[in-house]
Amino acid sequence: MKTTQSFPNTIQTIEELREITGNPSELVNNKVISYLDEHCRDFITKSPFLTISTADELGSCDVSPRGDAAGFVYVLNEKQLIIPERPGNKRMDSMRNILSNPNIGLLFLIPGLGETLRINGKASVIHDEELLEKMAVNGKRPLLGIGVDVEECFIHCAKAFRRSELWSPDTWRNKGELPKGAKILAAHAKLPNADEEAIGKILDKSYRETLY
């Protein structure tokens, strides 16, 4: 399958790609397993954050973050896990995609650790009260969950984190220099009576009162 050519001098075939990059090592080729072993389970138990990659029936992609106390993802067995769906903005991008295209990719992170855990598989939207009760927080169980049938698991190296120095506090910008979510949201939504201050108050209230 050839890529679109919206940029000049694009690579069109895998053969062209390999001419430039070379081939993966034996270690890289052999690192993929098809189940959640004790090392994957330990990683998931210690991870408070992951990203979810999905696509709709046309292949349009989306990546969405999920986060909670470390170990919030429930490992059902060596081939299945469940991600609780906490209250959000109700767009349900990931779940709507899953309903038309079950392919899913997960990236688990642990603060301070450069290596990440990648898991690929097939997803479904879970509405099983008994299973969801196992992921309740403050007496509130998630309304839904994303169930994943695991097909691939492997560790991704730390080079991206070392280059970016993501976990090094001395490289972080001062809070005053950071983008402001409320300001961006106000500019994009362009709703009447919804300036940065008003939206900031809405966001603060939701962060305080509707995390679960």
Side-chain angles (χ1 to χ4, degrees), residues 12-74:
Q12 296 297 309
T13 67
I14 294 177
E15 289 74 20
E16 289 180 87
L17 179 66
R18 287 302 181 196
E19 284 181 11
I20 295 172
T21 67
N23 294 300
S25 67
E26 184 178 10
L27 174 63
V28 171
N29 282 329
N30 290 338
K31 71 178 181 177
V32 181
I33 62 175
S34 60
Y35 61 97
L36 300 169
D37 70 353
E38 67 273 21
H39 303 294
C40 294
R41 289 172 182 248
D42 181 60
F43 200 109
I44 293 170
T45 297
K46 294 173 180 174
S47 173
F49 186 86
L50 73 148
T51 60
I52 299 175
S53 176
T54 58
D56 64 17
E57 68 275 12
L58 300 177
S60 297
C61 298
D62 179 75
V63 177
S64 180
R66 295 292 188 279
D68 212 322
F72 72 99
V73 173
Y74 182 68

Side-chain angles (χ1 to χ4, degrees), residues 117-133:
L117 177 66
R118 291 171 58 178
I119 295 177
N120 299 317
K122 296 293 189 296
S124 54
V125 178
I126 303 296
H127 188 213
D128 183 299
E129 292 186 359
E130 183 177 349
L131 286 175
L132 295 173
E133 186 64 36

Side-chain angles (χ1 to χ4, degrees), residues 32-36 51 53 79 81 102-108 117-123 148-154:
V32 181
I33 62 175
S34 60
Y35 61 97
L36 300 169
T51 60
S53 176
K79 293 290 289 185
L81 58 81
N103 293 301
I104 192 169
L106 309 178
L107 181 70
F108 286 86
L117 177 66
R118 291 171 58 178
I119 295 177
N120 299 317
K122 296 293 189 296
V148 178
D149 289 298
V150 174
E151 296 176 345
E152 292 184 321
C153 306
F154 56 98

Side-chain angles (χ1 to χ4, degrees), residues 85 92-100 125 144-146:
E85 185 69 14
M92 296 296 169
D93 298 286
S94 299
M95 291 194 172
R96 287 189 292 110
N97 285 345
I98 289 167
L99 291 175
S100 61
V125 178
L144 298 166
I146 295 175

